[in-house]
Amino acid sequence: MSSSTRPGRREALIVACALLAGAALLFWPLWTHQRHLVPFHVLVGDPALEGLDAAADRPDWRTYDLAPVTVTYAEKALFARGLRQGELALWNPYSGLGLPLLADAQSQPLAPLFWPFLVLPSPWVYSACLVLNLLFAGLGMDRFLQKLGVGIQGRLAGSLLAAFNPFTLKYLAYSNCWAYAWLPWLFLAAAGMREKAGAAWILGALSALAGMSGHPEEALMGSAAAFAFGVIGRSQAGGFGGRRWVHCLAAPLVALLLSAWWLLPFFEWAAHSESVRLHGFRPVSYGWSSPFL
């Protein structure tokens, strides 16, 4: 092992320990099994939570805004129950008069960092997955800053701020935060385009995973910004020649192809949605504008 490798691993370990310490300090009621982050008491009678003691499970409301969990937890629990029964739940019959489940780009029942919950659906596992999103963002920021040549002090500050900041702590239960957790990893892949244009394929795959995490607006804007960052870096490093343009332009195409399984039903759903907020409360279809939502 070279002498330059050991400090790199040691610094990565320091950052990882700092992130774990921050999570332990901020969420100690969760780790001591006193309170989870799912407000069941507002979901009493929800069929998706059948068999759970809603009265006994109370969240800690002092710091975190957890209102969206009332929707996202129920949808993911419904999807997990369908998987255990050997079914792929495509429809949520309990919300209003029914709502697409797999095409719900906000909740995204197949969000990658919530796969442990699909295997073992419980409020404690769900809460741990929420915190996992923050740790994932922090680790990604550390790798990105290391790629840029930032020292250990800057990496520590950047990773802790990426994981634990007013946005992530306030919107922890929102899918905005789940898509946000992938942004440092997107920029890390884009930075790799400076040395190797083929890294654009990795950027496309990571963009698809960000979209799978929920909140497509956040994933789209983050992916577009990372792609622009990569293209500018590639041009500054020596421009594009031959197949390098093909590799770079493949990134958004790869992201679209890997996301087609939820984008197509989502667009169809949005195109047939109506809003009573426009033109004197007359229903107006989103129509052709649905992809821009």
Side-chain angles (χ1 to χ4, degrees):
M1 182 182 298
S2 65
S3 58
S4 61
T5 303
R6 292 193 186 96
R9 291 185 176 180
R10 186 163 54 246
E11 291 173 353
L13 182 61
I14 291 174
V15 172
C17 290
L19 288 170
L20 290 174
L25 179 64
L26 288 169
F27 300 98
W28 65 266
L30 172 63
W31 312 128
T32 56
H33 215 260
Q34 296 182 38
R35 290 187 178 94
H36 55 68
L37 304 177
V38 184
F40 277 146
H41 61 283
V42 298
L43 292 171
V44 175
D46 193 317
L49 305 176
E50 184 178 358
L52 295 174
D53 186 357
D57 292 307
R58 297 281 179 159
D60 186 351
W61 282 87
R62 293 173 300 176
T63 307
Y64 311 105
D65 181 3
L66 303 173
V69 180
T70 60
V71 175
T72 57
Y73 183 96
E75 289 196 344
K76 284 181 170 60
L78 182 63
F79 194 83
R81 186 173 68 181
L83 290 179
R84 292 197 303 274
Q85 297 173 351
E87 301 175 355
L88 189 64
L90 303 177
W91 186 256
N92 174 11
Y94 303 115
S95 181
L97 297 177
L99 191 71
L101 183 60
L102 196 60
D104 188 346
Q106 294 291 333
S107 295
Q108 284 289 35
L110 282 174
L113 295 180
F114 285 89
W115 286 353
F117 176 77
L118 298 182
V119 177
L120 186 63
S122 78
W124 302 100
V125 175
Y126 190 93
S127 300
C129 289
L130 291 176
V131 181
L132 178 61
N133 279 269
L134 304 188
L135 296 176
F136 185 71
L139 288 174
M141 181 59 72
D142 175 53
R143 294 290 303 276
F144 176 57
L145 293 176
Q146 182 187 25
K147 183 76 172 178
L148 297 181
V150 178
I152 182 59
Q153 294 86 356
R155 288 168 58 186
L156 267 173
S159 60
L160 289 172
L161 287 173
F164 313 114
N165 58 71
F167 171 77
T168 57
L169 295 180
K170 179 175 177 60
Y171 296 104
L172 171 64
Y174 289 70
S175 58
N176 307 58
C177 194
W178 312 339
Y180 158 87
W182 290 86
L183 298 189
W185 296 94
L186 293 173
F187 277 86
L188 174 63
M193 292 169 60
R194 294 171 180 264
E195 299 95 27
K196 187 177 180 181
W201 294 78
I202 300 177
L203 174 59
L206 291 175
S207 297
L209 292 173
M212 283 178 60
S213 299
H215 210 272
E217 302 95 326
E218 191 108 6
L220 174 62
M221 293 299 104
S223 298
F227 179 69
F229 173 76
V231 169
I232 293 173
R234 178 67 255 177
S235 62
Q236 292 175 340
F240 298 91
R243 298 180 180 178
R244 289 181 176 177
W245 267 114
V246 177
H247 283 293
C248 290
L249 294 178
L253 180 60
V254 169
L256 286 172
L257 290 176
L258 293 179
S259 303
W261 64 271
W262 69 265
L263 276 175
L264 293 178
F266 170 68
F267 287 164
E268 181 184 8
W269 170 32
H272 290 86
S273 299
E274 294 182 336
S275 173
V276 296
R277 299 180 180 182
L278 304 176
H279 299 286
F281 299 99
R282 185 180 64 187
V284 177
S285 173
Y286 289 119
W288 61 271
S289 64
S290 63
F292 299 96
L293 291 177

